[in-house]
Amino acid sequence: MKLKLNRFFFLKAILYGSLVYFIYLLVLITIQYIPINYKIAFLNLKQEEIKLAYYKLAFFSHVYSSIIIISLGLTQFSKTIRNRFSSIHKISGKVYILLILLVASPSGLIMSYHANGGLISQISFLTLSILWFVFTLSAYTSIKKRSFKKHRNFMIRSYALTLSAISLRLFKYGIVSVFELPPMDTYKIVSVLGWTINLGIAEIIIRKTTHKNMYN
Amino acid sequence: MKNYISILVIAFLIISCNSKIKDSESKIKIENGTEIIEQNTIIEEKKTNYIPENKVKANSNNEKILGSWIGYFKEDTKDSYTEKAIYADEGFYWNRENKINISIDKITDSLIIGHSVVAGNNRPFAGQLLNGVFHVKEPGDDKYDGEFKFTITENKLIGKWTAYKNIDIKNRKYELIKKVFAYNPDIMLEQVKEYVDWNNFTEEKTLEEYEEGEFEEWITKEFATATKLIYTINASNTLLKKNDVENLKKGDLTIIRNTIYTRHGYSFKNRPLRVFFDAQSWYIPVHTDVKSEFTEIEKENIKLLLRYEKNAIEYYDYFGRG
């Protein structure tokens, strides 16, 4: 029993450690856009779009809000924080939901129309932003109805999609290192795998933990 | 066991993901003679070494001699091999030969005036014709200046060159034929030589078991190169769109952009590019500065290609997404 507990803690530490590390990398990416810079990184390939005022607004609000959203989500699944500091859970949860519903998801939807890589990535990012909105909204309405299990499941799905910011880039890195595919082929692949695999894992987690009836 | 595997996987991901999100150190080297001049800047009067042909009082004999003589400028050694050769990929080596353009611009009774263009260097020379042998000298204020001695017979210019200073390769020989340079935006690359950028490679270490339980470390180098797409995309006669370039890898983008310069007769300082373009039969090094030669299509394409090259260098194999 003792051994099992240790191993569990060890795994948890690694999981949180790597999440913090990758969020730190995302912070580095975000910093490139501070102060507002139209000629850097991703935007170098978006010179046509960045001339459009609505795209500018969508891009920068997406970039700045997403880094807050992904960081806020980090602590929400901790039992300790939920039970002992429930006000923290509630406040950061509300900010997380509001930022997704009002800023990050709608701006993602606008950007998905202009996605690099043609129809495949356009459809993929479009679906991603809609599902992100729907899951996050469902998580919100279910907690309003005090349906904790539903809330938890939708939040797992929502955060799985939030984490696609990391997984998409990780897959890209992996594909490029192993197969050395051309850049846009890689991009089309990760635009789909980047969030579908996450969602698959989320469903597995939900199924494996539901029978325990933790909350109801 | 499952836990250990997942720990290993996560640890691998953390380690293999470079701590940086992008490569901010590598920069695209744009040679001075190929920068794009924005239209609002005043273009300086182009310096030219060419004497308009109608000004030269040519007799029929001079007519045969005046003009550009093209061929390889090779190391002159007694041995058949060159010690200074560069070996990179399997079957790829460079004997340090460069394509040279010896241009004889003016002949008067006692003086021969011309210039040579080789390896990004454009140098004037002057001299005399003594007993059928041309003796012409470069000024001597450049490290790589020297003296040419050649004869012209049966449409061939054959001779030797000796550097004044003690440089890496002091003696060269050459056998050149006469060619006329003309800019042709439609000309395409021939599939004659691979592009191998031997300064840019990744090393992969593998362990090979050569005896029971005994391993030896092998290092394989993989060089930056280009694909067949470079033979199909023309950035001089077609205005390229995002779709044309967004799926190209760095090597292809570089070659497609530099082919524009090659069509204008640019003489490259960059060695891997020079070796690659020298092999093109139509390529003649004429200028060390082609800035003011670009057409509007080419200017736009260069800008576009550079944007994607920059992105490829910075982000292609990094966590960050360009």
Side-chain angles (χ1 to χ4, degrees):
Chain A
M1 191 61 212
K2 202 186 165 198
L3 184 78
K4 217 176 180 181
L5 196 72
N6 280 341
R7 213 185 252 175
F8 186 61
F9 276 129
F10 188 43
L11 253 183
K12 243 185 172 177
I14 286 205
L15 188 70
Y16 276 108
S18 47
L19 270 181
V20 167
Y21 173 73
F22 286 121
I23 290 173
Y24 159 72
L25 290 188
L26 288 180
V27 170
L28 293 183
I29 292 172
T30 311
I31 285 173
Q32 297 179 100
Y33 299 106
I34 302 173
I36 285 185
N37 184 345
Y38 298 144
K39 290 221 157 170
I40 196 144
F42 180 71
L43 289 184
N44 263 321
L45 308 184
K46 286 282 175 200
Q47 290 301 300
E48 288 308 308
E49 287 82 358
I50 204 64
K51 288 174 193 153
L52 308 166
Y54 72 86
Y55 189 88
K56 247 182 257 186
L57 185 70
F59 178 81
F60 286 102
S61 50
H62 191 78
V63 166
Y64 298 146
S65 63
S66 297
I67 194 71
I68 302 170
I69 290 166
I70 204 166
S71 315
L72 285 175
L74 195 62
T75 57
Q76 298 299 84
F77 296 93
S78 154
K79 208 180 211 170
T80 323
I81 289 178
R82 271 201 316 270
N83 293 342
R84 289 175 49 192
F85 311 96
S86 63
S87 58
I88 290 182
H89 179 83
K90 278 179 192 164
I91 291 168
S92 63
K94 273 175 192 165
V95 179
Y96 174 93
I97 289 168
L98 276 178
L99 280 178
I100 291 179
L101 296 184
L102 300 180
V103 186
S105 166
S107 58
L109 188 82
I110 292 168
M111 284 163 67
S112 72
Y113 174 73
H114 294 284
N116 290 335
L119 202 59
I120 295 175
S121 20
Q122 281 175 308
I123 292 173
S124 176
F125 286 127
L126 186 92
T127 319
L128 169 61
S129 51
I130 292 171
L131 285 180
W132 202 25
F133 187 92
V134 171
F135 291 156
T136 311
L137 185 66
S138 308
Y140 177 72
T141 51
S142 49
I143 196 62
K144 284 281 133 189
K145 289 178 201 151
R146 308 203 58 79
S147 168
F148 292 101
K149 196 166 130 191
K150 244 181 138 184
H151 171 71
R152 169 185 172 272
N153 291 349
F154 276 117
M155 270 310 182
I156 289 174
R157 292 186 185 110
S158 166
Y159 200 55
L161 295 187
T162 303
L163 289 179
S164 69
I166 291 172
S167 53
L168 181 148
R169 290 174 175 85
L170 262 183
F171 287 146
K172 174 211 149 181
Y173 181 80
I175 288 174
V176 158
S177 321
V178 179
F179 303 108
E180 296 180 26
L181 288 185
M184 214 34 80
D185 294 345
T186 309
Y187 194 70
K188 283 177 193 166
I189 295 170
V190 301
S191 75
V192 177
L193 293 188
W195 62 269
T196 46
I197 291 184
N198 289 11
L199 201 55
I201 294 172
E203 290 306 327
I204 292 171
I205 292 173
I206 291 167
R207 254 169 231 178
K208 285 216 162 175
T209 52
T210 314
H211 67 277
K212 286 181 183 167
N213 276 339
M214 296 155 121
Y215 298 96
N216 288 345
Chain B
M1 193 58 205
K2 257 187 188 172
N3 287 349
Y4 280 109
I5 291 169
S6 51
I7 288 165
L8 279 176
V9 167
I10 292 167
F12 168 77
L13 288 177
I14 292 175
I15 293 160
S16 64
C17 198
N18 204 311
S19 65
K20 287 181 292 174
I21 49 157
K22 68 170 193 177
D23 179 357
S24 353
E25 267 150 44
S26 307
K27 290 263 150 46
I28 304 168
K29 286 182 198 84
I30 300 170
E31 296 183 14
N32 280 336
T34 62
E35 288 160 334
I36 296 181
I37 307 171
E38 290 303 331
Q39 273 168 321
N40 50 7
T41 58
I42 300 147
I43 299 169
E44 265 181 71
E45 194 70 16
K46 221 179 71 195
K47 255 202 312 193
T48 170
N49 287 295
Y50 290 104
I51 313 290
E53 274 177 35
N54 55 4
K55 277 192 187 166
V56 180
K57 278 179 202 152
N59 63 42
S60 62
N61 208 13
N62 284 356
E63 195 76 15
K64 278 184 192 161
I65 292 168
L66 287 169
S68 289
W69 297 81
I70 315 295
Y72 273 107
F73 201 41
K74 296 172 184 164
E75 181 173 15
D76 189 15
T77 50
K78 286 172 194 79
D79 311 314
S80 56
Y81 65 92
T82 307
E83 283 172 18
K84 281 150 189 131
I86 285 172
Y87 294 89
D89 220 354
E90 227 172 286
F92 184 95
Y93 62 96
W94 175 45
N95 269 337
R96 304 285 299 272
E97 72 278 18
N98 297 309
K99 210 176 227 184
I100 192 170
N101 172 356
I102 293 182
S103 175
I104 300 169
D105 302 323
K106 195 177 174 185
I107 299 175
T108 62
D109 294 338
S110 57
L111 201 62
I112 288 148
I113 291 170
H115 68 280
S116 70
V117 180
V118 62
N121 229 351
N122 184 339
R123 300 296 296 159
F125 61 69
Q128 284 164 323
L129 178 64
L130 299 169
N131 303 324
V133 182
F134 291 80
H135 295 256
V136 295
K137 291 181 172 185
E138 289 169 321
D141 50 3
D142 187 277
K143 190 188 165 191
Y144 295 103
D145 278 354
E147 185 179 3
F148 293 92
K149 274 181 200 161
F150 53 82
T151 55
I152 299 179
T153 43
E154 286 172 39
N155 304 324
K156 271 193 178 166
L157 186 154
I158 300 168
K160 296 196 170 181
W161 175 86
T162 313
Y164 302 135
K165 299 221 168 81
N166 234 340
I167 55 171
D168 210 12
I169 295 177
K170 206 170 156 29
N171 297 297
R172 299 253 188 191
K173 57 182 180 186
Y174 44 89
E175 217 179 292
L176 315 177
I177 54 166
K178 215 173 149 187
K179 283 189 180 177
V180 178
F181 171 78
Y183 167 66
N184 175 4
D186 301 322
I187 202 155
M188 301 296 286
L189 293 176
E190 301 152 355
Q191 302 194 26
V192 283
K193 190 164 194 139
E194 294 268 320
Y195 169 57
V196 177
D197 181 358
W198 60 83
N199 298 319
N200 186 358
F201 55 85
T202 51
E203 273 183 343
E204 201 175 307
K205 287 178 187 167
T206 47
L207 286 177
E208 300 281 332
E209 191 173 16
Y210 68 98
E211 251 175 60
E212 194 70 23
E214 287 191 55
F215 291 90
E216 198 176 15
E217 198 180 65
W218 284 75
I219 299 171
T220 39
K221 281 184 180 179
E222 196 166 315
F223 294 90
T225 184
T227 71
K228 299 265 183 242
L229 289 167
I230 57 172
Y231 303 113
T232 61
I233 297 175
N234 183 323
S236 287
N237 67 5
T238 330
L239 190 61
L240 298 178
K241 303 236 167 54
K242 239 171 114 165
N243 305 357
D244 302 319
V245 297
E246 63 184 5
N247 204 24
L248 297 175
K249 289 175 149 188
K250 159 107 205 326
D252 291 351
L253 294 165
T254 305
I255 292 298
I256 291 166
R257 175 171 58 87
N258 281 280
T259 307
I260 297 176
Y261 312 149
T262 311
R263 290 192 186 95
H264 286 287
Y266 182 70
S267 179
F268 290 91
K269 288 196 167 63
N270 177 292
R271 286 176 164 186
L273 286 174
R274 196 200 303 157
V275 171
F276 174 76
F277 287 115
D278 274 356
Q280 297 294 319
S281 65
W282 51 266
Y283 167 59
I284 299 177
V286 189
H287 304 290
T288 50
D289 188 335
V290 290
K291 281 199 260 279
S292 47
E293 310 275 340
F294 302 134
T295 63
E296 285 309 308
I297 289 179
E298 289 172 334
K299 280 186 199 167
E300 286 308 307
N301 286 340
I302 291 169
K303 281 187 223 161
L304 180 78
L305 288 161
L306 275 174
R307 222 162 51 221
Y308 278 84
E309 266 178 86
K310 183 166 178 275
N311 189 66
I313 286 185
E314 289 179 343
Y315 293 101
Y316 176 63
D317 45 4
Y318 284 80
F319 181 71
R321 172 158 74 110

